[in-house]
Amino acid sequence: MFEVLEKGKGYGRKIIEELLNNQLPGCTVYLIPNNKESATFWEKLKFKPIEGTQTVFVYKPDDLQSQGMR
C-alpha cells in the first residue's frame, strides 16, 4: 500500500519516480488505485489501465522506451 498524507506537494510523485527509475529500473509494476483521484495520479506517472479491467493499472518501461518517453 502506498499513501502520502500531505497531498498536493509533489512528495508522492518524487517517491514513485525514485522507485521506478532507480530502485526498480526496467521492472513492470502493477497496481490497483484506491479511487478515481488516485487513478489520475497514477496515469500522470505513465501507468495505464489494463484493457478488460476497471481497476488494474500497469507501468511497462519497455513500452515507454519504444515511444521515446523515458
Side-chain angles (χ1 to χ4, degrees):
M1 181 169 195
F2 176 76
E3 184 74 27
V4 174
L5 300 178
E6 293 189 44
K7 298 188 185 342
K9 296 186 177 184
Y11 300 138
R13 174 179 293 276
K14 289 178 184 176
I15 291 168
I16 298 303
E17 287 175 343
E18 171 67 21
L19 284 171
L20 295 174
N21 295 327
N22 299 314
Q23 304 299 316
L24 302 170
C27 291
T28 299
V29 179
Y30 295 88
L31 62 87
I32 300 172
N34 289 334
N35 53 47
K36 186 171 180 139
E37 291 79 20
S38 64
T40 301
F41 169 81
W42 294 110
E43 287 174 335
K44 289 178 183 176
L45 289 167
K46 309 293 189 260
F47 281 79
K48 296 181 180 182
I50 295 177
E51 192 172 326
T53 73
Q54 296 278 318
T55 58
V56 181
F57 280 51
V58 64
Y59 174 87
K60 291 185 179 180
D62 294 340
D63 290 350
L64 297 176
Q65 288 176 346
S66 68
Q67 297 172 10
M69 297 176 70
R70 196 148 191 241

